[in-house]
Amino acid sequence: TLQHQRNENDNPLDGARFNVDYATKWGGLKWEMGYQFRYLLHVGQFTFLERTLGTNDFVVDPRFSNRVDLERHIHSAYTQTAGKSGKWDYVFGLRGEYADRE
């Protein structure tokens, strides 16, 4: 099998993640809460080239060539409490998330 395709990609990913968590005891319960921020910047160029048979020349194949320009911000927060009652352990919690993607 001969490979007559080649791809040239420029696909950098830049991102950051920050989170802060807090936990404390409150009576017989453990209470936790936290916040997280995530950021992603993904700008990529994907060029697929196909070799012209009988030559060493490559031409762009538009069926597979593409680009991406993505920026995403995500904010999330949670709170939960955990405890024990007899033989039962339990955890109740709530999580919310807001995402903005362009």
Side-chain angles (χ1 to χ4, degrees), residues 20-102:
V20 60
D21 296 298
Y22 175 77
T24 188
K25 296 269 185 183
W26 188 29
L29 301 175
K30 180 179 180 184
W31 179 55
E32 300 175 74
M33 61 185 252
Y35 168 79
Q36 182 179 89
F37 172 73
R38 289 177 282 170
Y39 170 77
L40 175 71
L41 178 62
H42 183 189
V43 179
Q45 180 72 37
F46 308 96
T47 306
F48 284 80
L49 303 166
E50 187 165 351
R51 185 176 181 185
T52 305
L53 293 177
T55 71
N56 287 329
D57 297 332
F58 285 84
V59 294
V60 174
D61 187 343
R63 296 174 299 172
F64 301 109
S65 298
N66 209 334
R67 68 182 308 270
V68 64
D69 187 0
L70 170 69
E71 185 171 358
R72 182 173 60 202
H73 301 86
I74 300 174
H75 300 271
S76 57
Y78 78 95
T79 184
Q80 70 182 33
T81 186
K84 187 172 187 169
S85 179
K87 295 181 182 180
W88 292 90
D89 291 335
Y90 58 88
V91 177
F92 294 103
L94 180 65
R95 177 183 169 90
E97 187 170 288
Y98 172 78
D100 181 31
R101 177 173 49 191
E102 184 176 313

